[in-house]
Amino acid sequence: MRTVLVSGGVISGIGKGIIASSAGLLLKTKGLRVTAIKIDPYLNIDAGTLGPLEHGECFVLADGGECDLDLGNYERYLGIQLTRDSNITTGKIYNLVLQKERRGDYLGKTVQVVPHITDAIQEHIERVSKIPVDDSGEEPDICIIELGGTVGDIESMPFIEALNQYRHKVGKENFFCINVTYVPVIHGEEKTKPTQHAIKQFRSAGLAPDLIACRCEHKIEETTVQKIARSCQVDYEQVMTVWDMDTIYQVPLILRDQGLLEVLTRGLRLDKLDLSPSRTEKGAELWELWKDTVVPKQHWDPVHIVLVGKYTALDDSYLSVRKSLEHAAMRCRRRLNLVSVDSEHLEESTLHKDPTKYHRAWNAVCEAQGLVVPGGFSARGVEGMIRTAQWARERKIPYLGLCLGMQVAVIEAARNLCHLEGATSEEFDAQAEHRVCVFMPEGSKEQLGGTMRLGTRPTHFVEGSEWSNLRALYHGASIVYERHRHRYEVNPDYVEELEKAGLNFIGKDDTGRRMEIVELKDHPFFVGLQSHPELTSRVLVPSPAVLGFVAASAGCLKQIIDETRAQQIVLNGSGDATHF
Ligand code: GLN
């Protein structure tokens, strides 16, 4: 097992995850099997209880693990399926060690950060890096480990110690360090000092760089690269620059051009791996497909999508939704023009407080070719989402409701089609007369962490739903699998009335009592899903639901459905689309 460790210096949030994913993708194009682990040195056990406005979205894995959004990047880039253990947090490791201590496993011993926490980290890495993550069912050849935060932070110290011990154990020749730094430009001058300091810091932590990846806004000068190599005592070939690209999917292209694969091959003796010709061929095919898909076509027409949500202050809050829209737009051969609107700005209260904001928000909604309402929790901004669903339904604008977005579409129909005054979800008003969305019986209101309906669950298309556009995009399947993360669901007591009013619940869970998909018939595309289909969208295999929505918004739904019928995409056992 070979390991590539990606850690960062200078500042956080400069795209370590993208560089790590790109390195993984390039290794895959050589026919290698790649897995990934993300280390987050915070105390939360998982990302389920973190606010999206602070940390970005909580990514949900097939097994229901609630984790850091970088795991989503790995799944999207590498076409793999990770498990909850692929995300390590300080809290998770301490929890494990403390449970053992209480059980008496260390009886008589003092339990310490070194060796008990550091051993637990290594054992975890060793175990998880061997779990098969693709259709081959085989152990991966390489594990990419991304260490969150910046080297030098107090909280990442135990992980760095553990990783140093781990490198010693597996051998230097099986361990490759990519150090990501930042090169700012001050008054037109490219500054290398932060990188020099960061590399000093890395070295004193024991993590000497095999490769320095410099993030920068624009391509940096040759002379700057030479200066960094010289002052950090590495070869020129070991310094690469990653400048801002039109799309992040082009990062593998520029890293490959700069020789990343050669440096990795040398550093990890990859030529010693005896790969079958079919694996090498598959890798080469993947590269061709990737190159072809991610190069932006300037002549493509734009498709104007408006996302109406409550966490719009931070783009990362809806990262997977954004990515899935990008994937779908690429398939539709359109340039995605995505605008976010804070749903609260669409409400009457904003009109009184700040009319400019209100009118600006509505102006954006009016200009949308398609409206998407993503997931969310609690009452703030929900009225604005309900009004968005109404606008889309009445004006026949394509609508995609994801989780909460489906629930608000149902609330809207209850109010305006069934005339159930004040209809809402129990989540927003537990005393309301018409609670058209209710708390799920198996949920827990006391314990918030990890107690939602989480992970991959099946949805059965009902008989007579053959007319459905969405179903056609799922290749006419009768059962589909998507990931979930919710506490509330459509109240079964209102389903009959809602169906009479024209809402078609065409997808249900195993029991038939839980509504999973709603679609309108006399509408270009109006779909709500209780699941989060955006989570399994891949660069080369867009989510059927998001694809349908973008295609309808761009006016090419029929063409995309015809293309889908002609294609063969197999669904694997867990229900995620089989990846390239
Ligand atoms: N708040 C809603 C629920 O818990 C929707 C959740 C979501 O959008 N992820 O059911």
Side-chain angles (χ1 to χ4, degrees):
M1 170 62 66
R2 287 148 161 92
T3 304
V4 176
L5 171 66
V6 182
S7 48
V10 187
I11 46 171
S12 62
I14 46 173
K16 273 197 305 285
I18 300 301
I19 292 172
S21 308
S22 302
L25 176 81
L26 288 177
L27 290 164
K28 249 191 111 119
T29 64
K30 283 281 155 203
L32 295 155
R33 295 192 189 101
V34 184
T35 185
I37 292 177
K38 171 80 198 284
I39 297 176
D40 284 306
Y42 48 66
L43 277 165
N44 304 61
I45 304 267
D46 62 32
T49 52
L50 292 172
L53 281 174
E54 198 181 318
H55 278 268
E57 79 173 4
C58 165
F59 192 79
V60 183
L61 296 167
D63 67 1
E66 296 174 283
C67 60
D68 183 82
L69 52 78
D70 272 314
L71 281 273
N73 281 329
Y74 294 121
E75 288 203 338
R76 282 189 283 269
Y77 267 75
L78 306 177
I80 52 176
Q81 190 172 287
L82 299 169
T83 57
R84 64 174 74 236
D85 286 344
S86 314
N87 196 184
I88 307 180
T89 69
T90 302
K92 216 180 244 180
I93 296 289
Y94 271 78
N95 199 27
L96 216 95
V97 172
L98 291 174
Q99 274 174 21
K100 276 186 164 183
E101 189 275 333
R102 289 292 82 185
R103 267 205 314 263
D105 291 7
Y106 306 110
L107 217 52
K109 294 216 178 70
T110 312
V111 182
Q112 292 177 298
V113 173
V114 183
H116 300 101
I117 294 291
T118 47
D119 279 355
I121 295 169
Q122 289 180 75
E123 278 157 25
H124 193 105
I125 291 174
E126 207 165 351
R127 179 174 60 80
V128 176
S129 58
K130 289 190 183 134
I131 300 175
V133 289
D134 62 20
D135 301 333
S136 72
E138 302 279 338
E139 213 176 87
D141 305 299
I142 301 210
C143 179
I144 309 264
I145 302 180
E146 181 193 346
L147 177 62
T150 43
V151 170
D153 298 347
I154 293 174
E155 51 187 15
S156 57
M157 290 304 183
F159 290 104
I160 292 176
E161 176 60 27
L163 288 161
N164 275 317
Q165 290 181 18
Y166 187 65
R167 181 182 46 189
H168 182 70
K169 192 156 141 195
V170 298
K172 256 200 200 121
E173 63 289 1
N174 292 318
F175 199 97
F176 191 95
C177 271
I178 301 183
N179 297 353
V180 182
T181 69
Y182 183 61
V183 177
V185 177
I186 314 269
H187 300 309
E189 204 185 322
E190 291 163 357
K191 295 290 186 188
T192 65
K193 201 44 83 40
T195 297
Q196 294 182 40
H197 281 301
I199 297 299
K200 245 189 214 153
Q201 181 90 271
F202 277 112
R203 285 192 197 278
S204 65
L207 302 174
D210 295 305
L211 182 86
I212 302 173
C214 304
R215 276 287 288 125
C216 43
E217 243 168 88
H218 303 286
K219 197 171 174 179
I220 54 178
E221 302 287 339
E222 256 345 85
T223 48
T224 310
V225 177
Q226 279 159 358
K227 189 172 168 193
I228 290 171
R230 206 173 40 242
S231 52
C232 298
Q233 303 97 46
V234 295
D235 292 339
Y236 174 74
E237 291 71 37
Q238 289 172 285
V239 183
M240 288 176 195
T241 58
V242 182
W243 60 95
D244 293 349
M245 304 292 296
D246 286 346
T247 87
I248 51 163
Y249 307 113
Q250 293 165 352
V251 174
L253 273 61
I254 57 170
L255 285 172
R256 193 176 143 119
D257 284 349
Q258 292 176 75
L260 178 60
L261 269 174
E262 287 75 14
V263 178
L264 282 166
T265 304
R266 237 178 296 129
L268 292 169
R269 301 163 304 115
L270 297 178
D271 39 6
K272 291 259 178 350
L273 285 166
D274 193 19
L275 299 188
S276 68
S278 80
R279 277 175 73 182
T280 322
E281 242 167 64
K282 220 173 144 203
E285 261 171 40
L286 164 63
W287 182 240
E288 289 308 312
L289 211 56
W290 186 276
K291 268 192 317 193
D292 202 49
T293 310
V294 304
V295 174
K297 315 282 193 294
Q298 292 309 334
H299 60 274
W300 282 353
D301 287 334
V303 56
H304 186 61
I305 304 291
V306 174
L307 179 153
V308 179
K310 58 190 295 183
Y311 313 120
T312 47
L314 182 73
D315 281 355
D316 274 357
S317 306
Y318 301 115
L319 188 69
S320 293
V321 178
R322 291 173 167 275
K323 294 295 139 200
S324 66
L325 291 167
E326 278 175 18
H327 305 160
M330 284 195 267
R331 169 61 63 79
C332 295
R333 294 165 286 276
R334 294 292 193 282
R335 263 185 301 119
L336 177 68
N337 181 6
L338 179 63
V339 170
S340 300
V341 168
D342 185 333
S343 53
E344 227 180 336
H345 295 178
L346 299 168
E347 297 176 356
E348 293 298 319
S349 57
T350 305
L351 175 62
H352 303 310
K353 271 191 296 205
D354 192 339
T356 317
K357 254 187 196 160
Y358 177 86
H359 290 296
R360 226 180 247 147
W362 272 107
N363 197 32
V365 168
C366 293
E367 283 180 353
Q369 283 176 280
L371 289 159
V372 54
V373 176
F377 294 84
S378 78
R380 183 182 67 80
V382 160
E383 288 304 318
M385 296 178 201
I386 296 171
R387 294 188 66 184
T388 305
Q390 181 178 10
W391 177 270
R393 182 179 59 77
E394 289 177 349
R395 312 265 158 164
K396 304 239 183 288
I397 310 290
Y399 177 87
L400 180 65
L402 304 166
C403 204
L404 178 62
M406 169 190 178
Q407 296 174 2
V408 298
V410 169
I411 295 171
E412 189 277 315
R415 287 184 189 175
N416 302 317
L417 292 175
C418 306
H419 310 292
L420 302 170
E421 213 181 302
T424 189
S425 167
E426 193 182 333
E427 181 178 8
F428 316 131
D429 182 358
Q431 311 308 327
E433 187 188 348
H434 298 295
R435 278 163 287 149
V436 291
C437 295
V438 285
F439 190 74
M440 280 184 297
E442 62 267 48
S444 162
K445 282 186 181 166
E446 280 73 47
Q447 180 119 0
L448 292 189
T451 55
M452 280 185 260
R453 181 170 177 250
L454 288 164
T456 301
R457 305 293 168 103
T459 292
H460 300 252
F461 277 107
V462 299
E463 254 174 62
S465 61
E466 287 72 18
W467 56 270
S468 154
N469 283 328
L470 181 65
R471 189 167 175 187
L473 289 156
Y474 276 110
H475 296 264
S478 46
I479 304 182
V480 292
Y481 299 83
E482 293 289 359
R483 299 183 189 176
H484 292 71
R485 184 175 189 245
H486 65 123
R487 279 196 185 86
Y488 296 84
E489 62 183 349
V490 175
N491 186 344
D493 297 344
Y494 285 92
V495 166
E496 206 184 316
E497 201 170 346
L498 288 161
E499 290 209 297
K500 268 197 206 127
L503 283 194
N504 303 292
F505 291 102
I506 56 160
K508 301 185 181 172
D509 77 338
D510 283 333
T511 67
R513 294 244 331 143
R514 180 167 290 140
M515 302 304 120
E516 286 281 357
I517 302 174
V518 66
E519 184 170 343
L520 291 184
K521 226 178 200 171
D522 55 347
H523 193 287
F525 191 90
F526 191 102
V527 168
L529 299 103
Q530 189 55 78
S531 61
H532 288 276
E534 72 274 17
L535 298 174
T536 44
S537 185
R538 303 284 187 257
V539 181
L540 303 177
V541 189
S543 152
V546 184
L547 178 59
F549 165 68
V550 172
S553 308
C556 60
L557 181 60
K558 189 178 170 317
Q559 190 189 334
I560 291 290
I561 290 180
D562 289 345
E563 276 180 28
T564 307
R565 288 209 172 101
Q567 264 170 13
Q568 266 302 318
I569 293 184
V570 203
L571 296 181
N572 67 21
S574 64
D576 288 350
T578 292
H579 322 116
F580 40 87

